[in-house]
Amino acid sequence: MSKLYIVGIGPGDFEYLTYKAVETVKNADIVIGSKRAIDLFDEVNEKIIFNVKNLHGNLEESVDIAKEGKDVALLSTGDPGFSGLLKPILEISEEKGFPRENIEVIPGISSLQLASSRCKIPWDSANIMTFHGRENIEDILPIIDNGLETIALPSRKVKDMAQFLIDNGVDSERQVIVCERLSYPDERIFRGSLEEVSHSEFTYMCVMVILKE
C-alpha cells in the first residue's frame, strides 16, 4: 500500500539534510513542498509546489494522492514533529480515513537544535517553546525565570516579542540571543539586551534564546 512520508528537511541548507531524507524524496512518486524546500533535492520525480495561501488544501491533497496509491514525500521544514506538518497531517488523515500506519515520519534537524548548538546550550537542560500558530505567548512568562535558558520560536516579529516581555515586567537588560536564518550564508547570531532587540529588525526566520538571570 502507498505511503505518505513526512520528510524533515532541516533548517534550510542542504548540508543539514539526512541521507534518509534524500533517499526518500528520490524514491517517492510525488514530492510536495515549498519551492525552497524542493530545490534542496537534486533528484525529484514529480513535484507539487505549495500554494502558500492554501497550505491546508495542499496537505489534504497530499493525503488524497497517497490514498490513490502513490507514494508521497511531503516536505516539512526542520523536524516534522516540532511546529512541523506532523500534527495537521495526522488530523487530516484521520478525517479522510488514511491509515496512520501508512504514515512514516523522517526526522529532520530543528532550528532549535541548531540554535542550541550555535549557543552551546545543552537543549535537554533548557526550556523549549514554540509559539508558531499561537497567540498566547504569555505562557512564556512563568517559564523564563525557572533557572534555565529558554529557546523559543516566536509567533511574531522578534522585536515584538522582546517588547512584549519588557511590557510584562521582564528586565529590559535581560540578555538574549537571536539566531537568524540559521544555516544560510547570511546567518546572523545577535547577542544583546531585550531593549536592543526591541529596536532592531530581524527576518521572520529566527530563534530567540532568553538567557537565565
Side-chain angles (χ1 to χ4, degrees):
M1 184 173 288
S2 60
K3 297 282 287 264
L4 173 57
Y5 299 93
I6 311 176
V7 182
I9 64 165
D13 187 275
F14 74 95
E15 290 185 344
Y16 286 91
L17 291 174
T18 65
Y19 179 80
K20 180 71 171 177
V22 172
E23 288 298 297
T24 300
V25 167
K26 180 172 69 174
N27 292 315
D29 297 315
I30 296 179
V31 178
I32 302 177
S34 68
K35 183 179 185 303
R36 177 176 66 87
I38 293 174
D39 285 347
L40 291 173
F41 298 88
D42 293 329
E43 296 185 61
V44 175
N45 291 315
E46 184 179 343
K47 63 185 177 183
I48 297 174
I49 296 176
F50 276 159
N51 177 351
V52 294
K53 295 182 179 180
N54 187 26
L55 176 60
H56 190 79
N58 290 137
L59 300 184
E60 289 186 323
E61 183 179 15
S62 69
V63 175
D64 289 338
I65 292 172
K67 285 186 69 176
E68 291 168 2
K70 292 187 176 182
D71 287 335
V72 177
L74 179 63
L75 306 184
S76 182
T77 301
D79 183 85
F82 193 88
S83 284
L85 298 181
L86 177 58
K87 186 183 296 183
I89 281 295
L90 289 177
E91 293 171 354
I92 292 170
S93 296
E94 184 174 356
E95 292 170 2
K96 290 180 173 288
F98 186 73
R100 193 184 183 103
E101 57 267 25
N102 286 71
I103 298 172
E104 183 172 338
V105 180
I106 311 300
I109 297 173
S110 167
S111 59
L112 291 177
Q113 291 172 268
L114 192 51
S116 70
S117 299
R118 293 287 192 265
C119 300
K120 299 176 178 62
I121 296 171
W123 61 294
D124 61 350
S125 300
N127 303 310
I128 303 294
M129 304 192 76
T130 177
F131 296 97
H132 282 186
R134 294 171 54 188
E135 291 301 323
N136 53 334
I137 64 172
E138 64 273 7
D139 289 352
I140 198 172
L141 296 173
I143 300 296
I144 58 175
D145 290 324
N146 66 355
L148 303 176
E149 271 86 17
T150 299
I151 307 174
L153 293 178
S155 65
R156 55 183 77 174
K157 291 182 178 180
V158 173
K159 70 175 186 177
D160 291 344
M161 188 166 184
Q163 189 61 54
F164 169 84
L165 293 173
I166 294 170
D167 292 345
N168 283 272
V170 181
D171 185 354
S172 63
E173 293 303 310
R174 182 78 171 263
Q175 292 295 294
V176 297
I177 303 172
V178 178
C179 302
E180 182 180 25
R181 291 184 61 79
L182 286 167
S183 84
Y184 288 90
D186 56 347
E187 172 181 304
R188 179 166 69 129
I189 308 295
F190 174 89
R191 178 166 180 156
S193 67
L194 282 173
E195 183 71 26
E196 290 175 293
V197 172
S198 71
H199 292 98
S200 302
E201 293 293 337
F202 298 91
T203 67
Y204 74 95
M205 297 176 63
C206 290
V207 178
M208 177 184 276
V209 181
I210 304 166
L211 300 177
K212 59 187 177 182
E213 290 186 305

